[in-house]
Amino acid sequence: MPKILKIVHFVLACACCVFSYARSARVYGYVVDQDNVGIELANVVVLNSEKPLGTSTNKNGFYELILDEADTVVLSFSMVGYTSVQQRVIDLKDVLNINVQLLTDEQLLTEIEVRGLKRTQGTMGHIDAGTTRVMPDATGGSIESLLITFSGVSQTNELSSQYNVRGGSFDENSVYVNGIEVHRPLLIRSGQQEGLSFVNPEMVENVGFSAGGYGAQYGDKMSSVLDITYKSPRAFEASLSASLLGAQVYVGHGDSTYSQMHGLRYKTSKYMLGGLATSGNYQPTYIDYQTYITWKVGRRWDMSFLGNVSQNDYRFQPDSLSESFGGQNAKNLNIYYEGQEKDKFLTAFAAVSARGHVGKNVEIGFDASGFYTNERENFDITGEYVLSNAPMGGNSAGAVSSEQIDPSTGQTDVLGTGIFHQHARNSLEAGVITLSHKGKWVSGNNTLRWGVSGQAELIRDHISEWEWRDSAGYSMPDNGRSMDLYYTLRGDAGMTSARVQGYIQNEHKWNTVSGQWILTVGGRLQWWSWNNEVLPSPRASVEWIPGWKRDFCFRLATGLYYQAPFYKELRDTLTDALGVTRIQLNRDLKAQRSVHVVLGGDYYFRAWGRPFKLTAEGYYKYIDRMESYTVDNIRVRYSGRNDSQGYAGGLDLKLYGELVPGADSWISFSTMVARQRLLGSPEWIPSPTEQRYNFSMLFQDYIPQLPQLKFHLKMQFSEGQPYYAPRNNQVWGRMPTYKRIDIGATYVFNEKTAKFMRAPSAKHVKQWAIQFEVFNLVGWKNVNSYFWVADAYNNQWASPNYLTGRRYNLKITVDLR
């Protein structure tokens, strides 16, 4: 650690020396109203400048200007509905903080409604998608990597964009893009195989996220909703970026009647996978193309097309693994591999949408979308392993005496040797077609929303995988009569099904002497042809914004939520007399059912002249008709039966604000208990994703004299998840605490910070940035899963599969105009 700190200090000192030539001054501050609430989009203009100079405040009322040093500068602060203020600055140099309060203009109040003095978020929070551009991210850039710093959200694999919410599995999180639910591949079993998230951050305008208690317009998933809205550019914009993790190109253009966006992304995680304990030849490549086009049809209708195609190739030839584990009773495991793995995941998505106005207060929309995936998973890998006690005693250098070494193997205190052979030829092809209609009617203080959709699903699946093990010359399992496979799974299955869904929801607002109230009541109804099940899902929430001097908001949400099964959940298994386990689809499987109760509140305040928000939410979820499952890396294996029940409860806290002016940061802490038990069993055991504590943080900072040099820190400390013995639903233990710190530094060149950017040759370059990142700064060895080894007596040891160590990344981004 001391060496790392010295290097960081040296880099910062060099950066300050290199860029200290700039003879400019920085003026920054906040524009607030008489309630000390930041005013968004207020104008800040230099009046006595030869050329137009100015800016607008952000959502928190923050502004920043980079000006040439001058004897006198006159600044004007203005906003429609407020009286303007002028501020004269004499001898402008270095850094100056100016905070201004604007009073409402009483003459304009009869004509203009001033909004935004109170915040109403409900259970749906909002995220600044621009933060993903500068946040250190081992996945190569995704919205989901930002989510894991939110309260109630956790992740234990930096190679994946999957996340858990309040004790739920990966499959319990729904993702919507422009109101259309999107899907992901079904066969992916590890973070190494995973490519990029469906969502392209460069194309995003708004991001909403709810960790529970969401409204009826969102579908049948039990944990969370990520609601993405893509933007419609009104002028030319483009960006290019390249790093050790891949590259991306984005181009957008539009006007008042037409817009188009195109994004091309390439990712290779070869460099990151080089930090894993298993050495070998990793060849993962991911390429993704996405487009979003909008156009107007007459005065009342808007049309849009969203398309995506991606291909993920994962090739891997393992070589060897050598690692120690076990603490005081330390063990050494050495594995020597032969063979390879070849996987390919091809997905495509397309959606055509129409939005229109029928009358003054009614909006309606129609969507037609299709999703297709073709997945292949093939591997033949043989490994020879030696398990031994780690060296104990010896000299200070860790030498081992000759008595401790087995001359035949060179290992110390050999506990077991063996061979295993893993084989798979799996394939899956699936298609989903959806037609939907939705609408909204606004009348006074009421907003009525409704929707109906029909969905057809066609899936074909072939599974053939097995594992053979031999320990000390004995095939396992050893019955003394024949040589059996340790594990085998086979199946040819398919399904064709249809779903019909509908929802209706009404939101009513009214004011009383105690403050403003918002009541939302709605319900969903779904029917699925596979099991002929009808799922009614009533939901309700109430929000109270007191008329107090201090800015508080309180909310209560409840509802009956279902996890409607998709294909993976239907896979039941049946083992025949020969020990072969075969796949069969369970037509009697019912949707998992959960009752949510969420009680929370927000407190908005200002400290040190800057805005902050403290959020607290307590929740309880009871789940019946639950389907037990285990998690291995990012693969979720379901039992295929409604064989258990469970519950989850906890408290989420989040402090959000500008710890330094103009840069959003937040700190999150969550504590929870999530348990489940098999039907007929009296014992409650931890659920596979229970993490009883989770602390995360995203911090942004900069040097006041050099605001174009920014620093970013992402931190996560969370309890390890439970793990299980192979093909056994009983908890074996708990993984070590997941600990990770990622840092990054970004220097931005634009017209304000670099004179060469004002040259005519750079007129089409808006800005460019250099970013240096350090992943897993401390080099903690995190565990995501276990590899199990055994001897002829079936004694089993769990050898941890460690995630990536410290890695470095350099990224260059250019924005064009």
Side-chain angles (χ1 to χ4, degrees), residues 659-684:
L659 298 179
V660 294
D664 291 334
S665 302
W666 54 85
I667 300 173
S668 301
F669 176 77
S670 301
T671 179
M672 66 170 294
V673 175
R675 298 299 171 95
Q676 66 179 32
R677 69 175 178 183
L678 295 175
L679 298 180
S681 171
E683 182 182 5
W684 289 92

Side-chain angles (χ1 to χ4, degrees), residues 79-82 104-115:
M79 178 66 181
V80 176
Y82 296 86
T104 54
D105 190 335
E106 300 294 340
Q107 295 179 352
L108 297 176
L109 288 180
T110 57
E111 301 176 7
I112 298 174
E113 181 181 358
V114 181
R115 297 180 180 270

Side-chain angles (χ1 to χ4, degrees), residues 281-588:
N281 182 20
Y282 292 91
Q283 295 292 338
T285 58
Y286 177 90
I287 189 167
D288 162 274
Y289 169 73
Q290 197 161 152
T291 183
Y292 181 56
I293 302 171
T294 69
W295 66 96
K296 286 188 173 294
V297 179
R299 297 177 57 186
R300 293 181 176 269
W301 287 90
D302 296 305
M303 301 288 295
S304 66
F305 172 77
L306 174 63
N308 171 268
V309 61
S310 66
Q311 179 172 296
N312 182 5
D313 280 303
Y314 178 74
R315 299 171 181 263
F316 174 45
Q317 291 180 300
D319 181 43
S320 64
L321 178 145
S322 180
E323 62 185 18
S324 300
F325 61 94
Q328 293 183 348
N329 299 317
K331 305 289 187 295
N332 282 338
L333 178 65
N334 292 275
I335 306 178
Y336 307 94
Y337 294 99
E338 288 185 358
Q340 64 179 337
E341 179 175 355
K342 293 183 179 180
D343 305 326
K344 178 176 287 188
F345 306 92
L346 175 65
T347 62
F349 175 84
V352 177
S353 302
R355 301 285 185 270
H357 294 268
V358 180
K360 182 179 180 181
N361 300 322
V362 179
E363 299 178 13
I364 59 173
F366 301 91
D367 301 303
S369 63
F371 168 76
Y372 171 78
T373 181
N374 191 329
E375 306 172 24
R376 298 290 185 269
E377 184 182 47
N378 304 303
F379 56 80
D380 266 299
I381 297 176
T382 301
E384 300 182 20
Y385 68 85
V386 178
L387 180 69
S388 62
N389 285 318
M392 301 293 291
N395 59 30
S396 59
V400 184
S401 65
S402 59
E403 289 79 6
Q404 294 176 278
I405 301 177
D406 187 321
S408 63
T409 64
Q411 297 293 321
T412 62
D413 296 336
V414 174
L415 298 174
T417 62
I419 301 174
F420 63 87
H421 184 179
Q422 297 173 335
H423 167 95
R425 294 292 185 271
N426 300 331
S427 63
L428 184 143
E429 192 172 8
V432 180
I433 297 176
T434 306
L435 300 176
S436 65
H437 158 69
K438 63 189 65 175
K440 182 176 72 172
W441 173 53
V442 180
S443 177
N445 294 326
N446 283 286
T447 300
L448 180 66
R449 290 181 171 87
W450 67 89
V452 62
S453 66
Q455 179 172 293
E457 304 152 350
L458 176 62
I459 300 174
R460 293 291 178 265
D461 183 22
H462 171 76
I463 295 178
S464 177
E465 58 182 64
W466 50 261
E467 181 178 354
W468 169 76
R469 289 191 181 186
D470 178 280
S471 179
Y474 292 90
S475 176
M476 297 177 57
D478 180 22
N479 58 21
R481 300 184 305 274
S482 61
M483 188 176 70
D484 296 332
L485 292 173
Y486 181 74
Y487 159 73
T488 180
L489 182 65
R490 296 178 183 175
D492 284 286
M495 61 172 286
T496 301
S497 61
R499 299 178 197 258
V500 178
Q501 306 176 67
Y503 71 88
I504 186 168
Q505 176 177 288
N506 185 68
E507 178 186 277
H508 178 65
K509 300 179 180 180
W510 72 97
N511 294 307
T512 68
V513 293
S514 62
Q516 185 182 49
W517 293 81
I518 304 173
L519 176 64
T520 304
V521 178
R524 291 185 64 85
L525 195 65
Q526 179 185 145
W527 170 79
W528 192 28
S529 65
W530 179 260
N531 56 9
N532 203 30
E533 185 178 24
V534 178
L535 306 176
S537 176
R539 306 176 188 181
S541 67
V542 60
E543 188 169 359
W544 175 44
I545 307 171
W548 303 340
K549 184 177 181 180
R550 294 186 180 274
D551 198 349
F552 283 90
C553 175
F554 302 97
R555 58 184 170 272
L556 172 65
T558 187
L560 182 62
Y561 294 81
Y562 289 91
Q563 179 76 21
F566 199 57
Y567 179 72
K568 286 198 304 182
E569 292 93 325
L570 295 175
R571 285 176 171 176
D572 196 358
T573 56
L574 179 65
T575 303
D576 60 23
L578 298 177
V580 177
T581 302
R582 300 186 182 277
I583 293 291
Q584 61 181 13
L585 302 185
N586 184 1
R587 280 192 174 272
D588 296 324

Side-chain angles (χ1 to χ4, degrees), residues 1 165 211 214 234 306 338 380 408 474 642 647 700 717 804:
M1 278 298 291
V165 178
Y214 37 88
R234 290 293 177 258
L306 174 63
E338 288 185 358
D380 266 299
S408 63
Y474 292 90
N642 300 111
Y647 67 89
Q700 302 187 76
F717 290 83
T804 57

Side-chain angles (χ1 to χ4, degrees), residues 603-605 607-608 610-614 655-659:
Y603 172 42
Y604 298 86
F605 62 98
W608 307 292
R610 299 189 287 272
F612 289 87
K613 173 186 173 183
L614 177 63
L655 177 63
Y656 178 97
E658 297 186 0
L659 298 179

